[in-house]
Amino acid sequence: KTMADSVFRETEQAYLEVKALAADVKTHPTVVSEKKYGSSWYMPGGNSYRAHLFEDAGADYLFRDLPGAASQPLSFETVFEKAIHADYWLVKYNQAMDMTYEELRQEYAPYENFDAYQERKVYGCNTGRVPYYEEFPLHPDYLLKDFVWIFHPELLPGYTPRYYHPLVD
């Protein structure tokens, strides 16, 4: 128990240090999360860990008004209407090679109409190649650091992201 408490305190301290980096940012870029599966886009609720991480990273999560912590199934049209002009779009996927913009477009052509797609501000986490699900429950500080780097790269010069990387052309 003593060791577990110690590890928790270290992780909490690391998280709070990264959160403090973004606490006074002047701009809060907008962000949308995930992508559609089948006919629904499962958007994390406003009280989800993801919504809290975006806020702690100095971003404005466009769906923070969704109730609860669970992901909510939304239509593509609902997401598109609210998030077409999002500054950043973060997606998780699982495949052998890292996703490209063309692959994202091939998956669902209307994706190319998002500003974040057109401005090349889509970041992907390939859960088939990085230990995202294995690590982040124990180390939310790692994920927060990636988010701060995406939204405010000037705060972490020289940082190499652990999970999320820009999609490539």
Side-chain angles (χ1 to χ4, degrees):
K1 177 171 169 25
T2 304
M3 184 175 185
D5 288 346
S6 174
V7 170
F8 176 83
R9 277 194 302 281
E10 286 175 24
T11 300
E12 180 185 35
Q13 185 60 39
Y15 186 97
L16 293 172
E17 287 172 10
V18 176
K19 179 181 174 181
L21 283 176
D24 296 324
V25 294
K26 301 292 183 249
T27 60
H28 291 80
T30 53
V31 61
V32 63
S33 187
E34 309 310 333
K35 54 193 176 96
K36 76 183 213 65
Y37 291 95
S39 62
S40 295
W41 192 313
Y42 291 90
M43 193 63 66
N47 201 28
S48 65
Y49 77 87
R50 209 149 176 84
H52 289 293
L53 280 162
F54 289 148
E55 181 181 341
D56 289 350
D60 180 11
Y61 176 47
L62 290 172
F63 290 85
R64 69 184 174 280
D65 59 341
L66 282 178
S71 291
Q72 311 277 333
L74 302 175
S75 69
F76 174 81
E77 294 76 16
T78 299
V79 175
F80 185 72
E81 183 180 318
K82 192 165 194 167
I84 182 174
H85 299 301
D87 296 311
Y88 293 94
W89 180 11
L90 276 59
V91 298
K92 288 191 301 295
Y93 60 92
N94 182 337
Q95 59 187 50
M97 301 300 291
D98 288 340
M99 183 177 278
T100 65
Y101 279 94
E102 181 57 24
E103 286 174 313
L104 186 60
R105 192 190 67 73
Q106 286 175 3
E107 192 175 296
Y108 192 63
Y111 285 156
E112 70 185 356
N113 296 302
F114 283 92
D115 287 0
Y117 182 99
Q118 294 175 7
E119 295 169 17
R120 299 305 194 245
K121 289 185 175 180
V122 180
Y123 288 75
C125 174
N126 187 348
T127 61
R129 295 175 53 112
V130 297
Y132 175 86
Y133 291 111
E134 295 80 5
E135 288 182 348
F136 102 83
L138 300 174
H139 279 284
D141 52 316
Y142 296 171
L143 185 55
L144 180 63
K145 203 165 190 180
D146 271 17
F147 289 171
V148 169
W149 173 78
I150 291 168
F151 306 133
H152 303 285
E154 71 283 0
L155 298 176
L156 292 167
Y159 175 70
T160 300
R162 189 175 196 95
Y163 308 115
Y164 280 87
H165 301 276
L167 264 56
V168 294
D169 286 307

